[in-house]
């Protein structure tokens, strides 16, 4: 994959990766949900969200640099927990502890990067 898309401009490579991932997702969902078009209609928000996430990630890497952006990747579980809580699912104590560890790690890594 890297060899095939590595020589392309960044946004073209991102678009190619998204097209490959969307196609693979449809093929993977095909047996479970019947025709792929129905699966695509049902999951279009997830595909759109994933596409936007990759695009914003690329923008973050370009603006802040790979080191600072990679630290923020550790906040993905925190965002997932907040979204789940927004839908009414109460987090368990181990999940809250994990969020505290993740946030503490991001703060600690960010302090070290500024020195």
């Amino acid at each position: 994959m890297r060899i095939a898309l590595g020589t392309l401009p960044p946004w073209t490579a991102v678009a190619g990766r998204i097209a490959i991932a969307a196609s693979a997702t449809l093929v993977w969902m095909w047996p479970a949900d019947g025709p792929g078009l129905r699966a695509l209609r049902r999951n279009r928000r997830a595909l759109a969200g994933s596409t936007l996430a990759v695009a914003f990630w690329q923008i973050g890497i370009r603006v802040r640099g790979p080191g600072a952006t990679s630290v923020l990747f550790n906040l993905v579980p925190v965002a997932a927990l907040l979204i789940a809580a927004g839908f009414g699912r109460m987090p368990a104590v181990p999940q809250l502890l994990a969020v505290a560890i993740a946030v503490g790690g991001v703060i600690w890594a960010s302090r070290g990067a500024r020195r």
Side-chain angles (χ1 to χ4, degrees):
M1 174 81 69
R2 175 167 272 206
I3 294 170
L5 298 176
T7 59
L8 296 174
W11 286 106
T12 307
V14 168
R17 288 181 180 105
I18 290 169
I20 292 168
S23 301
T25 301
L26 287 177
V27 169
W28 178 66
M29 287 188 294
W30 191 280
D33 196 34
L37 185 58
R38 187 171 16 149
L40 179 62
R41 276 192 218 126
R42 196 176 83 209
N43 296 305
R44 67 182 176 268
R45 284 184 227 122
L47 289 172
S50 298
T51 303
L52 288 174
V54 170
F56 287 134
W57 184 260
Q58 293 296 322
I59 291 169
I61 289 174
R62 186 174 37 184
V63 172
R64 297 204 64 215
T69 307
S70 65
V71 170
L72 297 176
F73 185 70
N74 295 315
L75 293 178
V76 171
V78 177
L81 186 82
L82 291 174
I83 291 169
F87 282 108
R89 181 175 176 174
M90 294 304 298
V93 173
Q95 291 172 323
L96 293 174
L97 181 62
V99 165
I101 291 170
V103 171
V106 168
I107 292 170
W108 181 62
S110 297
R111 276 185 351 150
R114 281 188 235 142
R115 289 183 183 173

XYZ file of all heavy atoms in Angstrom:
844
model
N 0.841 -1.187 0.000
C 0.000 0.000 0.000
C 0.877 1.238 0.000
O 0.632 2.156 -0.743
C -0.912 -0.027 1.220
C -1.741 1.228 1.393
S -3.187 1.284 0.379
C -4.150 0.027 1.119
N 1.890 1.283 0.862
C 2.741 2.461 0.955
C 3.463 2.706 -0.363
O 3.630 3.833 -0.789
C 3.733 2.298 2.088
C 4.719 3.446 2.160
C 5.441 3.385 3.431
N 4.609 4.147 4.343
C 5.037 4.752 5.402
N 6.281 4.649 5.744
N 4.253 5.451 6.163
N 3.894 1.638 -1.017
C 4.599 1.793 -2.287
C 3.649 2.356 -3.341
O 4.004 3.253 -4.092
C 5.190 0.436 -2.738
C 6.273 -0.004 -1.753
C 5.750 0.536 -4.136
C 6.740 -1.412 -1.951
N 2.422 1.854 -3.359
C 1.467 2.292 -4.376
C 1.018 3.727 -4.155
O 0.827 4.471 -5.110
C 0.253 1.363 -4.385
N 0.824 4.159 -2.928
C 0.307 5.493 -2.653
C 1.376 6.454 -2.152
O 1.103 7.638 -1.979
C -0.825 5.404 -1.625
C -2.053 4.601 -2.057
C -3.052 4.522 -0.921
C -2.684 5.187 -3.285
N 2.583 5.982 -1.919
C 3.616 6.817 -1.339
C 4.133 7.911 -2.250
O 4.655 8.915 -1.791
N 4.013 7.743 -3.560
C 4.538 8.738 -4.489
C 3.501 9.791 -4.865
O 3.824 10.730 -5.579
C 5.046 8.050 -5.766
O 3.962 7.330 -6.360
C 6.193 7.093 -5.444
N 2.275 9.644 -4.394
C 1.216 10.591 -4.729
C 1.240 11.792 -3.793
O 1.765 11.708 -2.679
C -0.140 9.895 -4.610
C -0.400 8.731 -5.568
C -1.712 8.067 -5.232
C -0.408 9.212 -6.997
N 0.640 12.924 -4.217
C 0.484 14.054 -3.291
C -0.347 13.629 -2.083
O -1.181 12.719 -2.180
C -0.259 15.101 -4.128
C -0.017 14.712 -5.546
C 0.158 13.227 -5.549
N -0.161 14.274 -0.920
C -0.815 13.811 0.320
C -2.326 13.661 0.219
O -2.862 12.654 0.642
C -0.434 14.882 1.340
C 0.821 15.471 0.823
C 0.743 15.391 -0.669
N -3.040 14.647 -0.331
C -4.504 14.550 -0.373
C -4.968 13.472 -1.337
O -5.977 12.823 -1.116
C -5.138 15.895 -0.714
C -5.073 16.815 0.452
C -4.255 17.891 0.608
C -5.823 16.711 1.660
N -4.446 18.459 1.839
C -5.406 17.765 2.499
C -6.795 15.836 2.129
C -5.932 17.966 3.766
C -7.321 16.037 3.386
C -6.886 17.092 4.188
N -4.219 13.254 -2.409
C -4.563 12.183 -3.338
C -4.365 10.832 -2.664
O -5.183 9.919 -2.822
C -3.698 12.281 -4.606
O -3.822 13.599 -5.140
C -4.120 11.277 -5.639
N -3.286 10.705 -1.901
C -3.032 9.457 -1.173
C -4.119 9.215 -0.137
O -4.588 8.079 0.034
C -1.656 9.500 -0.511
N -4.547 10.265 0.568
C -5.625 10.120 1.554
C -6.904 9.675 0.866
O -7.599 8.768 1.333
C -5.838 11.439 2.336
C -7.123 11.391 3.141
C -4.666 11.709 3.239
N -7.236 10.304 -0.266
C -8.447 9.923 -1.000
C -8.363 8.473 -1.467
O -9.350 7.730 -1.399
C -8.654 10.857 -2.195
N -7.180 8.053 -1.907
C -7.007 6.664 -2.325
C -7.178 5.693 -1.172
O -7.823 4.650 -1.310
N -6.624 6.038 -0.020
C -6.767 5.167 1.154
C -8.220 5.086 1.602
O -8.709 4.028 2.008
C -5.889 5.682 2.287
C -4.421 5.453 2.039
C -3.561 5.953 3.184
N -2.165 5.720 2.920
C -1.301 6.655 2.572
N -1.691 7.911 2.471
N -0.040 6.357 2.344
N -8.927 6.204 1.544
C -10.338 6.203 1.935
C -11.154 5.356 0.964
O -12.027 4.584 1.382
C -10.876 7.638 2.022
C -10.246 8.350 3.217
C -12.399 7.663 2.130
C -10.497 9.833 3.255
N -10.864 5.462 -0.319
C -11.584 4.654 -1.311
C -11.332 3.166 -1.092
O -12.261 2.353 -1.155
C -11.163 5.070 -2.719
N -10.091 2.815 -0.792
C -9.768 1.408 -0.528
C -10.473 0.933 0.739
O -11.060 -0.152 0.772
C -8.243 1.219 -0.438
C -7.607 1.437 -1.807
C -7.900 -0.163 0.113
C -6.099 1.547 -1.777
N -10.442 1.747 1.795
C -11.083 1.360 3.055
C -12.595 1.256 2.903
O -13.213 0.320 3.423
C -10.736 2.363 4.149
N -13.215 2.191 2.178
C -14.665 2.134 1.981
C -15.051 0.903 1.169
O -16.037 0.231 1.477
C -15.154 3.406 1.296
N -14.267 0.602 0.139
C -14.553 -0.592 -0.662
C -14.408 -1.864 0.166
O -15.255 -2.765 0.096
C -13.600 -0.657 -1.860
O -13.735 0.483 -2.645
N -13.343 -1.925 0.967
C -13.142 -3.105 1.812
C -14.258 -3.234 2.839
O -14.723 -4.344 3.133
C -11.786 -3.027 2.509
N -14.722 -2.106 3.370
C -15.813 -2.136 4.345
C -17.089 -2.662 3.708
O -17.800 -3.479 4.303
C -16.049 -0.729 4.927
O -14.838 -0.286 5.536
C -17.160 -0.737 5.956
N -17.383 -2.217 2.505
C -18.592 -2.702 1.830
C -18.513 -4.188 1.532
O -19.489 -4.919 1.711
C -18.815 -1.917 0.534
C -19.293 -0.483 0.722
C -19.400 0.202 -0.629
C -20.624 -0.447 1.435
N -17.344 -4.644 1.090
C -17.184 -6.080 0.817
C -17.333 -6.871 2.109
O -17.967 -7.929 2.137
C -15.818 -6.346 0.148
C -15.507 -7.828 0.109
C -15.811 -5.750 -1.242
N -16.780 -6.351 3.202
C -16.865 -7.036 4.489
C -18.304 -7.090 4.981
O -18.732 -8.072 5.580
C -15.975 -6.305 5.484
C -16.013 -6.876 6.859
C -15.571 -8.095 7.253
C -16.539 -6.244 8.022
N -15.777 -8.255 8.607
C -16.368 -7.130 9.089
C -17.122 -5.009 8.261
C -16.766 -6.826 10.374
C -17.510 -4.702 9.535
C -17.336 -5.604 10.574
N -19.091 -6.025 4.744
C -20.471 -5.989 5.230
C -21.436 -6.723 4.303
O -22.556 -7.001 4.680
C -20.943 -4.540 5.364
C -20.335 -3.815 6.531
S -21.080 -2.209 6.783
C -20.591 -1.335 5.337
N -21.042 -7.008 3.088
C -21.950 -7.575 2.092
C -22.682 -8.823 2.575
O -23.901 -8.884 2.514
C -21.173 -7.870 0.816
C -22.065 -8.199 -0.335
C -22.656 -9.392 -0.586
C -22.477 -7.319 -1.357
N -23.403 -9.317 -1.725
C -23.314 -8.047 -2.212
C -22.220 -5.986 -1.646
C -23.898 -7.493 -3.338
C -22.796 -5.444 -2.769
C -23.620 -6.188 -3.595
N -21.994 -9.863 3.099
C -22.733 -11.071 3.498
C -23.671 -10.830 4.681
O -24.705 -11.462 4.786
C -21.646 -12.061 3.894
C -20.366 -11.486 3.466
C -20.565 -10.026 3.254
N -23.332 -9.925 5.565
C -24.130 -9.731 6.769
C -25.374 -8.882 6.526
O -26.368 -9.027 7.216
C -23.281 -9.077 7.850
N -25.335 -8.000 5.535
C -26.428 -7.050 5.386
C -27.090 -7.084 4.014
O -27.842 -6.193 3.675
C -25.895 -5.638 5.678
C -27.022 -4.659 5.934
O -28.049 -5.059 6.502
O -26.871 -3.513 5.538
N -26.793 -8.051 3.225
C -27.404 -8.073 1.908
C -26.667 -7.155 0.961
O -25.467 -6.985 1.059
N -27.376 -6.535 0.043
C -26.713 -5.701 -0.959
C -25.888 -4.582 -0.327
O -26.276 -3.967 0.655
C -27.881 -5.129 -1.766
C -28.992 -6.102 -1.558
C -28.799 -6.668 -0.183
N -24.731 -4.331 -0.932
C -23.807 -3.324 -0.404
C -24.380 -1.920 -0.411
O -24.025 -1.096 0.424
N -25.286 -1.629 -1.343
C -25.863 -0.292 -1.401
C -26.685 -0.004 -0.148
O -26.628 1.085 0.414
C -26.729 -0.146 -2.653
C -27.305 1.227 -2.912
C -26.189 2.254 -3.022
C -28.134 1.229 -4.186
N -27.425 -0.999 0.324
C -28.195 -0.826 1.559
C -27.261 -0.607 2.747
O -27.504 0.227 3.605
C -29.077 -2.048 1.799
C -30.012 -1.864 2.954
C -31.032 -2.954 3.084
N -30.732 -4.151 2.328
C -31.080 -5.367 2.684
N -31.730 -5.558 3.810
N -30.794 -6.402 1.952
N -26.164 -1.362 2.785
C -25.179 -1.186 3.854
C -24.542 0.195 3.772
O -24.319 0.841 4.797
C -24.104 -2.266 3.755
N -24.275 0.670 2.552
C -23.693 1.998 2.400
C -24.657 3.073 2.874
O -24.259 4.009 3.572
C -23.316 2.237 0.938
C -22.717 3.601 0.617
C -21.414 3.784 1.376
C -22.484 3.729 -0.868
N -25.929 2.942 2.528
C -26.925 3.922 2.983
C -27.009 3.951 4.509
O -27.118 5.003 5.111
C -28.296 3.591 2.399
C -28.476 4.132 1.027
C -29.936 4.033 0.629
N -29.972 3.670 -0.768
C -30.619 2.646 -1.275
N -31.337 1.867 -0.498
N -30.576 2.395 -2.544
N -26.992 2.771 5.120
C -27.125 2.696 6.561
C -25.888 3.224 7.282
O -25.979 3.753 8.375
C -27.388 1.256 6.978
C -27.926 1.173 8.401
C -28.271 -0.215 8.792
N -27.034 -0.866 9.221
C -26.801 -2.140 9.130
N -27.688 -2.934 8.620
N -25.676 -2.648 9.541
N -24.736 3.098 6.663
C -23.483 3.463 7.324
C -22.835 4.703 6.732
O -21.667 4.953 6.961
C -22.509 2.282 7.250
C -23.030 1.097 8.020
O -23.329 1.225 9.192
N -23.167 -0.026 7.366
N -23.583 5.505 6.001
C -22.977 6.665 5.339
C -22.454 7.686 6.341
O -21.456 8.327 6.088
C -23.947 7.291 4.356
C -25.161 7.928 4.979
C -26.098 8.485 3.904
N -27.299 9.024 4.483
C -28.421 8.362 4.669
N -28.482 7.101 4.288
N -29.461 8.925 5.207
N -23.101 7.819 7.478
C -22.593 8.765 8.476
C -21.266 8.296 9.057
O -20.381 9.096 9.318
C -23.620 8.971 9.586
C -24.749 9.848 9.130
C -25.721 10.142 10.260
N -27.056 9.917 9.722
C -27.946 9.074 10.183
N -27.690 8.375 11.247
N -29.107 8.929 9.607
N -21.147 7.000 9.258
C -19.878 6.467 9.771
C -18.759 6.663 8.752
O -17.642 7.044 9.113
C -20.031 4.993 10.114
N -19.059 6.431 7.476
C -18.053 6.645 6.445
C -17.693 8.118 6.322
O -16.526 8.478 6.172
C -18.544 6.099 5.098
C -18.614 4.585 4.987
C -19.289 4.177 3.688
C -17.228 3.985 5.070
N -18.692 8.994 6.415
C -18.419 10.430 6.345
C -17.590 10.874 7.546
O -16.629 11.649 7.399
C -19.731 11.213 6.279
N -17.926 10.393 8.724
C -17.157 10.739 9.916
C -15.721 10.248 9.838
O -14.790 10.958 10.220
N -15.539 9.046 9.330
C -14.188 8.510 9.181
C -13.393 9.320 8.165
O -12.208 9.590 8.363
C -14.247 7.054 8.740
O -14.891 6.279 9.719
N -14.046 9.711 7.090
C -13.382 10.522 6.071
C -12.956 11.868 6.653
O -11.826 12.321 6.445
C -14.316 10.735 4.869
O -14.709 9.461 4.362
C -13.636 11.539 3.782
N -13.856 12.515 7.385
C -13.517 13.799 8.004
C -12.411 13.642 9.047
O -11.536 14.504 9.165
C -14.754 14.428 8.632
C -15.775 14.984 7.646
C -17.024 15.448 8.386
C -15.176 16.118 6.842
N -12.440 12.554 9.797
C -11.403 12.328 10.803
C -10.028 12.230 10.159
O -9.057 12.827 10.639
C -11.711 11.068 11.609
N -9.927 11.497 9.051
C -8.647 11.369 8.357
C -8.216 12.720 7.795
O -7.041 13.106 7.892
C -8.738 10.302 7.244
C -7.508 10.329 6.361
C -8.917 8.924 7.852
N -9.155 13.459 7.220
C -8.812 14.768 6.651
C -8.317 15.719 7.733
O -7.283 16.389 7.564
C -10.035 15.353 5.941
N -9.020 15.786 8.861
C -8.593 16.677 9.940
C -7.284 16.218 10.570
O -6.482 17.030 11.024
C -9.689 16.822 10.999
C -10.843 17.652 10.527
C -12.141 17.225 10.731
C -10.641 18.855 9.889
C -13.215 17.984 10.301
C -11.703 19.630 9.452
C -12.992 19.194 9.656
N -7.065 14.909 10.604
C -5.805 14.384 11.125
C -4.649 14.861 10.246
O -3.609 15.286 10.748
C -5.863 12.860 11.183
C -4.649 12.244 11.792
C -3.593 11.682 11.148
C -4.355 12.158 13.180
N -2.670 11.246 12.051
C -3.117 11.519 13.309
C -5.033 12.548 14.332
C -2.526 11.272 14.528
C -4.444 12.295 15.547
C -3.206 11.660 15.638
N -4.836 14.804 8.932
C -3.800 15.265 8.011
C -3.548 16.761 8.172
O -2.402 17.217 8.122
C -4.184 14.944 6.560
C -4.209 13.475 6.250
C -2.847 12.842 6.380
O -1.827 13.427 6.039
N -2.804 11.623 6.900
N -4.612 17.529 8.373
C -4.452 18.966 8.596
C -3.679 19.205 9.894
O -2.788 20.055 9.954
C -5.826 19.660 8.626
C -6.448 19.648 7.228
C -5.708 21.091 9.128
C -7.912 20.065 7.202
N -4.009 18.453 10.938
C -3.299 18.592 12.208
C -1.824 18.273 12.086
O -0.978 18.962 12.669
N -1.497 17.247 11.330
C -0.089 16.901 11.125
C 0.622 18.023 10.387
O 1.751 18.395 10.732
C 0.044 15.561 10.374
C -0.356 14.416 11.290
C 1.460 15.366 9.839
C -0.391 13.069 10.615
N -0.033 18.600 9.390
C 0.597 19.676 8.625
C 0.773 20.940 9.476
O 1.792 21.611 9.398
C -0.229 19.988 7.383
C 0.459 21.000 6.486
C -0.248 21.209 5.199
N -1.684 21.160 5.398
C -2.570 21.229 4.432
N -2.171 21.333 3.212
N -3.855 21.188 4.682
N -0.212 21.262 10.305
C -0.163 22.501 11.086
C 0.723 22.356 12.319
O 1.577 23.201 12.585
C -1.596 22.937 11.483
C -1.570 24.094 12.460
C -2.392 23.303 10.246
N 0.532 21.281 13.095
C 1.242 21.150 14.376
C 2.479 20.279 14.298
O 3.283 20.276 15.194
C 0.301 20.540 15.419
C -0.891 21.449 15.687
C -1.505 21.214 17.012
N -0.572 21.533 18.074
C -0.505 20.884 19.212
N -1.314 19.883 19.442
N 0.360 21.220 20.143
N 2.582 19.465 13.266
C 3.706 18.546 13.151
C 3.330 17.164 13.657
O 2.389 17.002 14.438
N 4.062 16.145 13.215
C 3.698 14.769 13.588
C 3.861 14.462 15.064
O 3.081 13.707 15.635
C 4.619 13.907 12.733
C 5.661 14.798 12.203
C 5.153 16.199 12.273
N 4.863 15.030 15.724
C 5.083 14.736 17.144
C 3.950 15.229 18.018
O 3.424 14.491 18.863
N 3.558 16.480 17.824
C 2.474 17.049 18.637
C 1.133 16.405 18.307
O 0.295 16.218 19.192
C 2.393 18.559 18.400
N 0.926 16.048 17.057
C -0.345 15.437 16.663
C -0.463 14.008 17.180
O -1.538 13.577 17.576
C -0.490 15.459 15.134
O -0.289 16.799 14.674
C -1.858 15.013 14.707
N 0.654 13.281 17.194
C 0.584 11.889 17.649
C 0.236 11.789 19.131
O -0.368 10.807 19.558
C 1.894 11.166 17.351
O 2.943 11.738 18.107
N 0.599 12.798 19.907
C 0.232 12.801 21.330
C -1.284 12.849 21.474
O -1.871 12.179 22.331
C 0.902 13.989 22.056
C 0.357 14.150 23.452
C 2.400 13.797 22.092
N -1.942 13.617 20.604
C -3.397 13.757 20.691
C -4.139 12.480 20.304
O -5.312 12.321 20.629
C -3.857 14.910 19.796
C -3.328 16.281 20.205
C -3.758 17.329 19.206
C -3.801 16.645 21.596
N -3.461 11.568 19.604
C -4.093 10.302 19.236
C -4.525 9.519 20.479
O -5.487 8.764 20.441
C -3.126 9.464 18.392
C -3.735 8.199 17.879
C -4.700 8.229 16.899
C -3.356 6.978 18.395
C -5.269 7.065 16.425
C -3.915 5.799 17.929
C -4.876 5.859 16.937
N -3.845 9.747 21.593
C -4.190 9.056 22.833
C -5.488 9.546 23.448
O -5.981 8.959 24.411
C -3.043 9.192 23.837
C -1.801 8.490 23.350
O -1.866 7.374 22.872
N -0.676 9.163 23.434
N -6.058 10.615 22.909
C -7.339 11.111 23.413
C -8.539 10.468 22.707
O -9.676 10.768 23.054
C -7.398 12.638 23.267
C -6.420 13.400 24.155
C -6.529 14.887 23.883
C -6.678 13.109 25.617
N -8.316 9.594 21.757
C -9.420 8.925 21.064
C -10.305 8.139 22.039
O -11.536 8.264 21.988
C -8.889 8.028 19.920
C -9.981 7.166 19.335
C -8.252 8.889 18.843
N -9.755 7.354 22.973
C -10.632 6.660 23.932
C -11.417 7.619 24.818
O -12.551 7.332 25.210
C -9.677 5.808 24.768
C -8.426 5.719 23.993
C -8.357 6.942 23.143
N -10.820 8.771 25.128
C -11.521 9.769 25.941
C -12.731 10.296 25.176
O -13.840 10.400 25.725
C -10.565 10.920 26.332
C -11.292 11.994 27.100
C -9.385 10.383 27.123
N -12.535 10.612 23.899
C -13.651 11.089 23.075
C -14.730 10.019 22.951
O -15.928 10.323 23.020
C -13.140 11.498 21.700
N -14.330 8.763 22.790
C -15.315 7.677 22.689
C -16.125 7.549 23.974
O -17.344 7.345 23.929
C -14.602 6.369 22.378
N -15.468 7.691 25.114
C -16.180 7.615 26.384
C -17.156 8.775 26.541
O -18.280 8.594 27.011
C -15.179 7.599 27.545
C -15.825 7.378 28.906
C -16.068 5.901 29.127
C -14.968 7.945 29.992
N -16.736 9.972 26.136
C -17.628 11.132 26.225
C -18.840 10.987 25.302
O -19.962 11.345 25.677
C -16.855 12.411 25.895
C -15.806 12.828 26.915
C -15.008 14.024 26.405
C -16.447 13.139 28.253
N -18.621 10.443 24.117
C -19.740 10.219 23.196
C -20.696 9.183 23.774
O -21.919 9.353 23.736
C -19.218 9.805 21.809
C -18.515 11.004 21.150
C -20.357 9.299 20.925
C -17.748 10.648 19.909
N -20.158 8.096 24.326
C -21.003 7.070 24.939
C -21.789 7.644 26.112
O -22.976 7.348 26.287
C -20.157 5.884 25.390
N -21.136 8.481 26.921
C -21.830 9.110 28.046
C -22.923 10.048 27.548
O -23.982 10.167 28.166
C -20.835 9.869 28.917
N -22.661 10.706 26.417
C -23.676 11.578 25.832
C -24.917 10.817 25.389
O -26.020 11.371 25.369
N -24.742 9.556 25.037
C -25.878 8.715 24.656
C -26.482 7.971 25.836
O -27.329 7.104 25.669
C -25.460 7.718 23.575
C -25.361 8.331 22.211
C -24.130 8.531 21.623
C -26.501 8.719 21.528
C -24.034 9.096 20.372
C -26.413 9.287 20.281
C -25.177 9.477 19.699
N -26.030 8.294 27.048
C -26.649 7.729 28.241
C -25.967 6.522 28.846
O -26.469 5.954 29.810
N -24.855 6.090 28.320
C -24.148 4.942 28.901
C -23.202 5.438 29.985
O -22.310 6.238 29.739
C -23.360 4.222 27.819
C -22.641 3.040 28.358
C -21.963 2.264 27.292
N -21.218 1.189 27.919
C -20.597 0.264 27.254
N -20.627 0.261 25.956
N -19.950 -0.672 27.893
N -23.411 4.957 31.172
C -22.587 5.382 32.309
C -21.264 4.616 32.297
O -21.258 3.385 32.220
C -23.320 5.130 33.625
C -24.565 5.995 33.793
S -24.236 7.755 33.656
C -23.140 8.011 35.025
N -20.138 5.337 32.388
C -18.843 4.646 32.376
C -18.583 3.927 33.693
O -19.023 4.363 34.755
C -17.841 5.783 32.161
C -18.540 7.018 32.594
C -20.012 6.777 32.382
N -17.862 2.828 33.599
C -17.477 2.064 34.788
C -16.199 2.668 35.377
O -15.519 3.478 34.735
C -17.247 0.600 34.412
N -15.882 2.272 36.588
C -14.702 2.794 37.279
C -13.408 2.520 36.496
O -12.576 3.423 36.348
C -14.628 2.235 38.727
C -13.322 2.645 39.394
C -15.819 2.704 39.522
N -13.197 1.307 35.946
C -11.966 1.088 35.170
C -11.873 2.004 33.943
O -10.782 2.434 33.583
C -12.047 -0.381 34.750
C -12.940 -1.015 35.745
C -13.929 0.046 36.135
N -13.017 2.308 33.332
C -12.992 3.214 32.189
C -12.598 4.626 32.617
O -11.825 5.301 31.930
C -14.355 3.233 31.501
C -14.685 1.940 30.804
C -16.107 1.903 30.307
O -17.016 2.410 30.963
N -16.301 1.304 29.146
N -13.120 5.076 33.731
C -12.756 6.397 34.232
C -11.277 6.457 34.611
O -10.598 7.460 34.365
C -13.632 6.774 35.423
C -15.114 6.989 35.104
C -15.907 7.209 36.385
C -15.294 8.152 34.154
N -10.775 5.370 35.184
C -9.354 5.301 35.521
C -8.503 5.347 34.250
O -7.485 6.054 34.201
C -9.066 4.030 36.325
C -7.629 3.819 36.768
C -7.196 4.943 37.705
C -7.492 2.478 37.450
N -8.930 4.635 33.229
C -8.202 4.643 31.958
C -8.200 6.031 31.327
O -7.182 6.465 30.773
C -8.805 3.622 31.000
N -9.319 6.743 31.412
C -9.390 8.108 30.889
C -8.430 9.013 31.660
O -7.708 9.826 31.072
C -10.838 8.636 30.942
C -10.875 10.139 30.767
C -11.674 7.952 29.885
N -8.393 8.866 32.970
C -7.475 9.672 33.775
C -6.022 9.392 33.396
O -5.208 10.317 33.290
C -7.709 9.401 35.262
N -5.704 8.133 33.158
C -4.339 7.772 32.756
C -4.025 8.359 31.377
O -2.939 8.908 31.152
C -4.156 6.243 32.768
C -4.190 5.735 34.203
C -2.865 5.832 32.070
C -4.251 4.225 34.322
N -4.968 8.267 30.446
C -4.747 8.803 29.098
C -4.554 10.316 29.128
O -3.624 10.845 28.509
C -5.912 8.427 28.189
N -5.418 11.007 29.840
C -5.298 12.465 29.929
C -3.998 12.851 30.633
O -3.289 13.769 30.200
C -6.531 13.070 30.641
C -6.322 14.544 30.948
C -7.776 12.880 29.788
N -3.669 12.149 31.705
C -2.408 12.416 32.397
C -1.203 12.181 31.495
O -0.245 12.964 31.509
N -1.255 11.130 30.693
C -0.160 10.852 29.760
C -0.022 11.921 28.694
O 1.098 12.322 28.334
N -1.145 12.411 28.196
C -1.095 13.477 27.198
C -0.528 14.751 27.799
O 0.321 15.426 27.197
C -2.507 13.718 26.595
C -2.544 14.997 25.788
C -2.923 12.535 25.737
N -0.951 15.075 29.009
C -0.422 16.279 29.674
C 1.069 16.127 29.934
O 1.866 17.035 29.670
C -1.197 16.557 30.981
C -2.632 16.976 30.650
C -0.490 17.607 31.823
C -3.556 17.046 31.859
N 1.484 14.963 30.406
C 2.892 14.717 30.693
C 3.733 14.779 29.406
O 4.803 15.395 29.378
C 3.045 13.363 31.381
C 4.446 13.028 31.749
C 5.259 13.701 32.609
C 5.206 11.934 31.248
N 6.491 13.084 32.691
C 6.469 12.000 31.857
C 4.928 10.910 30.355
C 7.475 11.072 31.583
C 5.912 9.988 30.093
C 7.169 10.076 30.709
N 3.244 14.161 28.326
C 3.986 14.175 27.065
C 4.022 15.578 26.463
O 5.024 15.964 25.855
C 3.342 13.195 26.075
N 2.962 16.336 26.634
C 2.933 17.699 26.104
C 3.915 18.596 26.857
O 4.532 19.471 26.268
C 1.529 18.273 26.193
O 0.645 17.529 25.393
N 4.048 18.410 28.157
C 5.013 19.191 28.941
C 6.423 18.914 28.495
O 7.239 19.811 28.372
C 4.898 18.865 30.430
C 3.855 19.606 31.155
C 3.911 19.314 32.619
N 4.846 18.221 32.942
C 5.513 18.128 34.068
N 5.340 19.013 34.992
N 6.331 17.142 34.301
N 6.720 17.637 28.240
C 8.064 17.254 27.812
C 8.403 17.802 26.435
O 9.552 18.104 26.148
N 7.413 17.968 25.576
C 7.661 18.479 24.231
C 7.969 19.969 24.244
O 8.644 20.471 23.362
C 6.443 18.203 23.348
N 7.478 20.700 25.246
C 7.700 22.141 25.298
C 9.076 22.511 25.821
O 9.544 23.611 25.643
C 6.643 22.785 26.191
C 5.341 22.939 25.479
C 4.384 23.758 26.307
N 3.178 22.969 26.464
C 2.448 22.906 27.539
N 2.767 23.593 28.592
N 1.365 22.165 27.592
N 9.710 21.592 26.514
C 11.024 21.926 27.129
C 12.106 22.030 26.124
O 12.244 21.601 25.119
C 11.375 20.862 28.158
C 10.497 20.977 29.350
C 10.908 19.962 30.369
N 9.979 20.041 31.487
C 9.975 19.215 32.475
N 10.821 18.227 32.513
N 9.121 19.349 33.448
